[in-house]
Each structure stands twice: as C-alpha cells, then as structure tokens.
Amino acid sequence: MKPETENHATLCQRLKECDVRPTPQREVVLKVILAKRDHPTADEIFARVKAQLPTISLATVYNCLETLVQCGLIRQVNLERAPTRYCPNLHEHAHFHDEATGQIHDVDLPPDLMARLHEVLPAGFDARSIDLTFRGKAATN
Amino acid sequence: MKPETENHATLCQRLKECDVRPTPQREVVLKVILAKRDHPTADEIFARVKAQLPTISLATVYNCLETLVQCGLIRQVNLERAPTRYCPNLHEHAHFHDEATGQIHDVDLPPDLMARLHEVLPAGFDARSIDLTFRGKAATN
DNA sequence: GCGCGGTTTAGAATTATTCTAATTCTCACT
DNA sequence: AGTGAGAATTAGAATAATTCTAAACCGCGC
C-alpha cells in the first residue's frame, strides 16, 4: 500500500468511514498530504492542491485540514512560533525537529515506551492523544 | 524558595549567569512569569508587566521572552493553532492540555520514564530538549 | 564623564488563520 | 432523472500573533 497509489475509491472510502462528505477538495487535500512523507504547512498544501484543483481557496484548505484532523486522518504538529504543520503518518510516533534545518523527522519509538506514556498520567487525566517532540541537531550525513 | 519572593538581586543574578544584561524589563518579565504557576501568553505577560512597568512595549516583551527562552530560564509551549504560552516550571515535566477548558496542567512523570525518553533516539539525533504534551479531558473535580 | 553597542519604544508590517456572505454542490428522496 | 435542504466552497475582508524598523535610550567598560 504505497501512499502514492492511493486512488479515488480508497480516498473516498476513508472519508466516508469518518462520516464526512467525500468532496473533491477534501480528497485532493488528503491525497497530497499522503503523497509525501514530509510535514507541509497549510500554505504548502494549498500550493500542491492548486496544481490539481486550481480554483480551490486557502480557506477551503484550512477547512479540509480541520476536518481531516478531527477525523484522525492526519495529525497536526506545532512548533515554536511557526506555522502549523500536518503529518500524514498515522502510526504512533514522535517528531524530531532539527533546529539547524527546520526539518521535521518522524521517529519511531519502542511500542512499550509509547504504551508506558499512555499509562503514566495521574488519575483524573484522560489523554486522547500524545505529542512528543524532540528538538536538537541531527547528524549531517 | 517560594517563587513570590524572588527579589531583585536574585533575578539579576540569574540573568547575569546567562550572560544577558539584567535590564529592568527582562527582570520584570521573568518575575511575573515566575510569580504564578500558570502558562501565560505573551499578551497576558504584557498586561501583567505593564502594571509594574507602564511604558513597556509588546515588542520588548517578545524580545525578553525570546532571550529568556534562549537562556533556558523559561520554556515555551505550543498548542495547536493558539498563541504560544510560556512555562515557568524548569523542572523536567510534561503538559496536559485540557481540551474542554483550554487549561494547561503540569504533569510530573517518573524520572526513569524521562530518562528513557532521552535515550531512545536513533543514532545521529541529538536532542537538546523534549516536549511532551497530552491532550484530553481532565476530570471535573 | 564618554561613547559604543546592546536595548527599548511606538508603530507599521507581515503572516497565519478565521470570518462572512454569496454561491455551488451533494445526496437523499422522490 | 429532478428537486430541495443542508453542507461545502469561494473570494476577499478581518483578526490576531508576531516580527520588523528606525529612532531614542541606557548601562557599562574605559
């Protein structure tokens, strides 16, 4: 299941499963996010979608993103004082923010560690999601 | 060492230790952040500082915050599409973002878990800091 | 005491995001 | 296949957060 090969039917079905109307705009927004393993901003997504849907507006991109995030089809990542970025990787993972290049890398963590994170909250706190971001320098190789 | 009792001399010294000029503006910004265990935004900090330093400008607050974050005297917390918040708690901890109220709670985690987080990065990734944020609902009691 | 360089100030500028109101589309129901 | 209700989209304006700019200011080493 290469992301590049996500086709109309698959995308549509994914959206329907979330009880959202599978509009062309939503479909293409989701498609361009899944197509690359990077973490584009709303603006970048807007640019990519425009290539296929020239009349789409930025507001629609924001609407679609909000919908997709709510569905859990994508995640959003917030870095210090920078535009929100969107992440296509639904597999539970952490992020590494390279302060030198500004790039974000996905980092897989041992399943037991992720499991442990879910358990450590004090009573009364019920976490729906966890954001784990490392910040630093990545080796230049 | 109650935070409320941080005095001029202490604050000054803290700043000097970081090789920054201990200006009144920086001192008061740091003081108001340390004075409360909440997570104020730049605007909120601006308002609090103004009470003591009526001529301070918002730009200066941003400058001071940037300086203080760089020194490691405070931390910044980024939540989805919301203004950046600043955290006075230097002790290593996680955040719980209550989606119902918008409030942020500090969460202490077992030391071994924090230690583990620092070790799990793949070779070549060197983390200077870690941001761990839980999102969900806190019990209403 | 003087001057250099870092700091502050006010306000403008920029950037990200949201809102608005009008239009268009989707889909369930015929 | 046609229709109507509600949802989605559009362009552009509005808002909000943050950064920039240029001038004035100030602290500190000489």
Side-chain angles (χ1 to χ4, degrees):
Chain A
M1 67 147 235
K2 291 182 229 150
E4 304 81 276
T5 63
E6 295 271 3
N7 58 20
H8 176 66
T10 317
L11 290 166
C12 261
Q13 203 194 333
R14 287 233 220 173
L15 291 169
K16 278 194 193 136
E17 277 162 11
C18 302
D19 281 318
V20 307
R21 287 229 283 243
T23 68
Q25 289 83 352
R26 286 175 179 162
E27 195 183 318
V28 176
V29 167
L30 180 54
K31 186 166 78 179
V32 304
I33 297 179
L34 295 177
K36 263 180 117 178
R37 249 72 253 293
D38 60 354
H39 297 77
T41 64
D43 256 341
E44 284 160 359
I45 293 165
F46 182 43
R48 293 178 198 174
V49 170
K50 240 184 174 162
Q52 295 171 64
L53 229 48
T55 68
I56 199 171
S57 82
L58 182 55
T60 301
V61 171
Y62 273 104
N63 285 341
C64 291
L65 289 172
E66 189 179 337
T67 305
L68 296 176
V69 168
Q70 256 167 13
C71 294
L73 288 174
I74 58 175
R75 287 175 56 188
Q76 62 185 52
V77 193
N78 299 88
L79 303 173
E80 75 246 339
R81 290 146 158 212
T84 300
R85 290 170 175 274
Y86 295 86
C87 176
N89 184 352
L90 290 179
H91 179 245
E92 199 157 59
H93 66 285
H95 289 115
F96 185 92
H97 178 212
D98 188 333
E99 294 180 312
T101 68
Q103 277 195 308
I104 304 172
H105 304 273
D106 285 355
V107 177
D108 283 317
L109 295 180
D112 68 294
L113 182 55
M114 292 310 255
R116 181 92 198 281
L117 285 176
H118 279 282
E119 298 165 352
V120 290
L121 282 180
F125 291 96
D126 184 19
R128 196 181 46 69
S129 72
I130 298 183
D131 250 44
L132 177 53
T133 304
F134 298 86
R135 240 167 277 290
K137 275 204 289 284
T140 54
N141 57 26
Chain B
M1 68 146 234
K2 293 182 227 148
E4 305 80 277
T5 63
E6 295 270 4
N7 59 20
H8 176 68
T10 317
L11 290 167
C12 261
Q13 204 195 333
R14 287 234 220 172
L15 291 169
K16 278 194 193 135
E17 276 162 11
C18 302
D19 282 317
V20 307
R21 286 228 284 243
T23 69
Q25 289 83 351
R26 286 175 179 162
E27 194 183 318
V28 176
V29 167
L30 180 53
K31 187 166 77 179
V32 304
I33 297 179
L34 295 176
K36 266 180 116 177
R37 250 70 255 292
D38 60 354
H39 297 77
T41 63
D43 256 341
E44 285 160 0
I45 293 166
F46 181 44
R48 293 180 199 174
V49 170
K50 241 183 174 161
Q52 294 172 64
L53 230 47
T55 67
I56 199 171
S57 81
L58 182 55
T60 301
V61 171
Y62 273 105
N63 285 341
C64 292
L65 290 172
E66 190 180 337
T67 306
L68 296 175
V69 168
Q70 257 167 12
C71 294
L73 288 174
I74 58 175
R75 287 175 56 188
Q76 62 185 52
V77 193
N78 300 88
L79 303 172
E80 74 245 339
R81 289 145 159 215
T84 300
R85 290 169 175 276
Y86 295 85
C87 175
N89 184 351
L90 290 180
H91 179 245
E92 199 157 59
H93 66 284
H95 289 114
F96 185 92
H97 179 212
D98 188 333
E99 293 181 313
T101 67
Q103 277 196 306
I104 304 173
H105 304 273
D106 284 355
V107 177
D108 283 318
L109 296 180
D112 68 294
L113 182 54
M114 293 309 255
R116 182 92 198 281
L117 284 175
H118 279 281
E119 298 165 352
V120 290
L121 283 180
F125 291 95
D126 184 19
R128 195 180 47 70
S129 72
I130 298 182
D131 250 43
L132 176 54
T133 304
F134 298 86
R135 241 167 275 289
K137 275 205 288 284
T140 55
N141 57 22

